Amino acid sequence: MSANASERLIEATRELLWERGYVGTSPKAIQQAAGAGQGSMYHHFDGKRELALAAIRRSAAELRAAAERVLGTEGTAYARIEAYLLRERDVLRGCPVGRLTMDPEVVADEELRAPVDETLDWLRGRLAGIVQEGLDAGEFPAAPEPAELAATVVATVQGGYVLARATGSSAAFDTAVRGLLALLAPRTAR
């Protein structure tokens, strides 16, 4: 089989991990979703764990790229954080990376957990840098520690996903985001 089979296997695993978690994602389900046979799967990957790691790394890279597309733009710190918080998301599905923190098999496996930790650390660090820019410009209403405010932004997004999934409505996510944006509103906007 070709690299195309490898790509199909990774993409199928990404989707299944997002929907079912690691335990709920069987090799047979991956093969069926990818339209690939057992031989193809084991030709490209040593097993489910290696394939899951490739899928988690891909999801982590895509999350970073999506965040950077809005965080790396021109504009005020507030505008960039606002763009990040308001960017289009599949709220009811949750975060494909954040959801893995609720998977006991992923959390217990240091190698599987590493791309999740690295991505969330990267996101907090990237946001902390933007918060520092806003503080330096006198943009924010208070003087929070950049790392604390960055953690609050990430927690609002991840917690918003949980609330939305629990209620079956994106309204809870939207309410959390609006509340945080109101707290962060620049002094000149008040």
Side-chain angles (χ1 to χ4, degrees), residues 113-137:
R113 189 181 66 242
V116 175
D117 289 342
E118 291 163 6
T119 299
L120 294 174
D121 285 346
W122 172 86
L123 183 56
R124 286 189 304 269
R126 184 70 174 97
L127 286 164
I130 293 169
V131 169
Q132 187 62 58
E133 291 173 26
L135 289 171
D136 292 346

Side-chain angles (χ1 to χ4, degrees), residues 2-184:
S2 66
N4 187 23
S6 175
E7 284 299 308
R8 288 194 326 266
L9 287 161
I10 291 171
E11 287 304 312
T13 303
R14 288 180 64 217
E15 284 298 313
L16 290 167
L17 287 173
W18 196 0
E19 292 171 15
R20 302 178 183 181
Y22 186 80
V23 172
T25 300
S26 69
K28 184 173 179 89
I30 294 168
Q31 293 160 21
Q32 288 175 340
Q38 183 176 357
S40 177
M41 180 174 158
Y42 291 102
H43 171 75
H44 292 288
F45 302 95
D46 287 339
K48 173 184 162 180
R49 185 177 175 282
E50 184 183 4
L51 181 51
L53 182 58
I56 292 168
R57 285 180 177 151
R58 171 89 47 91
S59 292
E62 286 191 9
L63 186 145
R64 286 182 186 197
E68 188 57 34
R69 279 192 292 276
V70 293
L71 295 174
T73 60
E74 295 292 319
T76 65
Y78 177 86
R80 291 160 55 206
I81 292 170
E82 178 184 44
Y84 170 73
L85 288 168
L86 296 176
R87 77 176 176 81
E88 189 172 327
R89 294 174 164 84
D90 192 348
V91 174
L92 295 178
R93 283 189 80 192
C95 175
V97 174
R99 283 189 64 184
L100 293 171
T101 65
M102 301 302 289
D103 191 310
E105 296 291 322
V106 172
V107 172
D109 185 317
E110 193 173 314
E111 193 174 7
L112 291 176
R113 189 181 66 242
V116 175
D117 289 342
E118 291 163 6
T119 299
L120 294 174
D121 285 346
W122 172 86
L123 183 56
R124 286 189 304 269
R126 184 70 174 97
L127 286 164
I130 293 169
V131 169
Q132 187 62 58
E133 291 173 26
L135 289 171
D136 292 346
E139 191 177 331
F140 292 118
E145 283 294 316
E148 291 174 1
L149 187 50
T152 302
V153 172
V154 173
T156 298
V157 170
Q158 294 300 320
Y161 285 133
V162 171
L163 295 172
R165 288 178 56 83
T167 62
S169 168
S170 62
F173 182 94
D174 298 340
T175 299
V177 165
R178 282 194 313 272
L180 180 56
L181 288 172
L183 291 172
L184 295 177

